Amino acid sequence: MLTYITVRYHTLLLSVYILQVSGSLYGALIGSALAFTVADSLGRRRELILASLLYFIGALLTALAPDFAVMVIGRFVFGTGIGLAMHAAPMYIAETAPSQIRGTLISLKEFFIVIGMLLGYISGSIYVELVAGWRYMYATSAPLCLIMGLGMWWLPPSPRWLLLCAIQGKGSILDTKEFAVRCLCRLRGQALDDSISVQVDAILAELSYAGQEKAATLSEIFQGKCLKALIIGCGLVFFQQVTGQPSVLYYAATILQSAGFSAASDATRVSVLLGVLKLLLTGIAVLVVDRLGRRPLLIGGVSGIVISLFLLSSYYTLLNDFAFVAVIALLLYVGCYQLSFGPIGWLMISEVFPLRLRGRGLSIAVLVNFASNALVTFGFSPLQALVGTGVLFAGFGVIALASLLFIIFVVPETKGLTLEEIEAKIL
């Protein structure tokens, strides 16, 4: 009887933990679906302001929650903000950045996400010994949400989105063109000159040539150029998750414990070290993405992921006494992921969709990303119990090998091309 009660108690604790942790993931799925309908009407800038507001409300609800139900609601609201922000941020950067440094600027988004994760690890190590320290961790994020909202309030709208709205009859083309020129001058930090007007004229000409005066329909997303973009974008974010990224990080604590780290304080310090490694490798990707290109980083990084996954599999099946093999595999996986799928996946999905269908196409790609993350997160434990950890990591290795073939034969190089040139020449 006592054993039964103990099992039921631990099962209940696990269910509560999963519900609390997954609240943000479910919210992100809802945010991604919501972006499908509101992205083109709100615009990229206002969508990011809305995301920051949801971040702020979710952080406060979670930090001040009087009971478990309110905490889960707070996590859900926060997650909805994640879904909107992960949809709008790469789009806004892609549509406003010069083509020569677009890859660097969008990769910087991932770089600052990793900085945020590192700060989260550091705050966790500070608050881990405090009573109700988790409340302070969530409260710490609230001021950052306000900074994000105020920053987006100060920035202008995307000139490409403004011109698309004008082409579709939602304003005067002449007035919108003048406003788009002013927005582009602000974004580029330069005075009005002929080069800015030429860029705006080129975007207008491409929009007129492509016949984008009609609003996008659902059926068009699965046809022609957008279908090809969906295959590229959704394929990248799908493989980004199903190559085991959530599971490898989930197993990091176990791997490091086998190498001698055991206490909670040790685990938090090791999390900080992993965050530093992720930050360094993401920084390297940011520096070289516009010089090397997207494909070399993807091919090289995913090749390293394949090797690391098979190393992890061999550790759990054959080399149990050699903990250093698992540690090396873990570090190799984290490093290679941050050189490839981490920044480049989000960069590519922001580049490949045609402008008229970009908002909806990108929302589908983000939805696929979070849905595949949920699939791996919740499918890992049942599969592990069914086939064993070693076989499961070998399966991830096979999937990673398939993703490498997908990159080699399907994913194009977009380095140095404008968004209009990508649409005209690649799709």
Side-chain angles (χ1 to χ4, degrees):
M1 183 65 180
L2 182 60
T3 303
Y4 173 77
I5 294 173
T6 303
V7 170
R8 294 289 294 174
Y9 174 73
H10 284 294
T11 303
L12 178 62
L13 281 180
L14 180 61
S15 301
V16 168
Y17 173 76
I18 290 173
L19 185 59
Q20 190 270 334
V21 171
S22 62
S24 60
L25 181 56
Y26 291 134
L29 288 167
I30 297 298
S32 305
L34 185 64
F36 184 85
T37 57
V38 304
D40 289 328
S41 56
L42 276 180
R44 293 55 163 137
R45 171 178 166 270
R46 282 183 288 187
E47 188 179 351
L48 284 167
I49 293 172
L50 176 60
S52 67
L53 180 62
L54 292 172
Y55 278 150
F56 182 71
I57 295 171
L60 289 185
L61 278 175
T62 309
L64 303 175
D67 53 43
F68 180 72
V70 175
M71 183 175 67
V72 172
I73 292 171
R75 296 290 289 158
F76 184 85
V77 172
F78 196 92
T80 306
I82 292 174
L84 291 174
M86 295 302 281
H87 170 263
M91 232 183 348
Y92 182 85
I93 300 169
E95 292 182 357
T96 57
S99 58
Q100 300 89 340
I101 58 170
R102 186 177 60 241
T104 298
L105 293 180
I106 298 176
S107 299
L108 272 173
K109 176 191 76 72
E110 179 70 16
F111 182 78
F112 281 101
I113 287 174
V114 176
I115 287 179
M117 293 170 64
L118 180 57
L119 291 176
Y121 295 148
I122 292 171
S123 67
S125 67
I126 293 171
Y127 299 132
V128 69
E129 304 294 345
L130 297 179
V131 176
W134 58 272
R135 292 187 183 273
Y136 299 105
M137 282 190 274
Y138 289 120
T140 301
S141 65
L144 300 177
C145 307
L146 290 178
I147 293 171
M148 172 184 167
L150 291 172
M152 289 311 304
W153 188 273
W154 177 77
L155 287 171
S158 160
R160 283 183 168 89
W161 175 76
L162 290 171
L163 294 170
L164 176 64
C165 290
I167 286 289
Q168 294 177 346
K170 300 173 186 175
S172 163
I173 291 181
L174 185 60
D175 292 341
T176 303
K177 178 183 173 182
E178 292 178 1
F179 184 39
V181 168
R182 292 199 302 272
C183 290
L184 202 55
C185 287
R186 279 190 62 194
L187 288 162
R188 301 291 164 82
Q190 62 187 77
L192 178 62
D193 59 27
D194 291 340
S195 66
I196 295 291
S197 298
V198 168
Q199 291 178 55
V200 171
D201 286 336
I203 296 169
L204 263 177
E206 179 62 31
L207 287 171
S208 303
Y209 172 76
Q212 306 206 44
E213 64 279 354
K214 296 180 181 178
T217 61
L218 182 62
S219 61
E220 283 183 274
I221 297 172
F222 303 98
Q223 298 174 8
K225 291 182 176 182
C226 196
L227 177 59
K228 185 174 180 181
L230 271 177
I231 292 170
I232 295 167
C234 292
L236 280 173
V237 294
F238 175 75
F239 282 122
Q240 182 189 67
Q241 299 299 326
V242 299
T243 47
Q245 187 261 148
S247 303
V248 172
L249 294 181
Y250 170 79
Y251 246 76
T254 304
I255 292 169
L256 293 166
Q257 281 177 7
S258 69
F261 299 95
S262 56
S265 56
D266 285 342
T268 54
R269 279 193 284 269
V270 168
S271 296
V272 172
L273 291 175
L274 281 177
V276 171
L277 175 66
K278 288 162 71 76
L279 187 64
L280 288 175
L281 271 296
T282 307
I284 292 172
V286 168
L287 292 174
V288 302
V289 65
D290 280 318
R291 282 181 282 177
L292 288 181
R294 287 64 162 149
R295 277 173 54 86
L297 286 175
L298 280 171
I299 292 171
V302 176
S303 298
I305 287 174
V306 172
I307 294 169
S308 65
L309 287 169
F310 283 118
L311 278 176
L312 279 173
S313 175
S314 65
Y315 168 72
Y316 282 102
T317 52
L318 301 171
L319 305 172
N320 305 88
D321 296 328
F322 300 95
F324 71 90
V325 173
V327 174
I328 290 171
L330 171 65
L331 297 178
L332 179 64
Y333 185 96
V334 170
C336 289
Y337 180 87
Q338 293 306 137
L339 278 175
S340 56
F341 276 141
I344 309 301
W346 292 103
L347 167 58
M348 292 292 294
I349 65 171
S350 68
E351 293 179 321
V352 295
F353 287 100
L355 177 57
R356 187 164 65 99
L357 300 160
R358 186 170 294 137
R360 294 190 170 188
L362 201 66
S363 69
I364 293 175
V366 175
L367 186 62
V368 167
N369 175 78
F370 287 118
S372 52
N373 181 291
L375 177 69
V376 174
T377 299
F378 297 115
F380 181 80
S381 293
L383 286 172
Q384 180 195 20
L386 182 65
V387 301
T389 307
V391 174
L392 187 54
F393 277 124
F396 284 140
V398 171
I399 296 172
L401 192 57
S403 73
L404 182 59
L405 295 175
F406 172 82
I407 291 164
I408 292 171
F409 292 107
V410 177
V411 176
E413 181 57 73
T414 57
K415 178 185 73 171
L417 299 175
T418 67
L419 297 180
E420 289 70 35
E421 286 172 336
I422 292 170
E423 181 175 350
K425 298 178 180 179
I426 292 179
L427 298 180

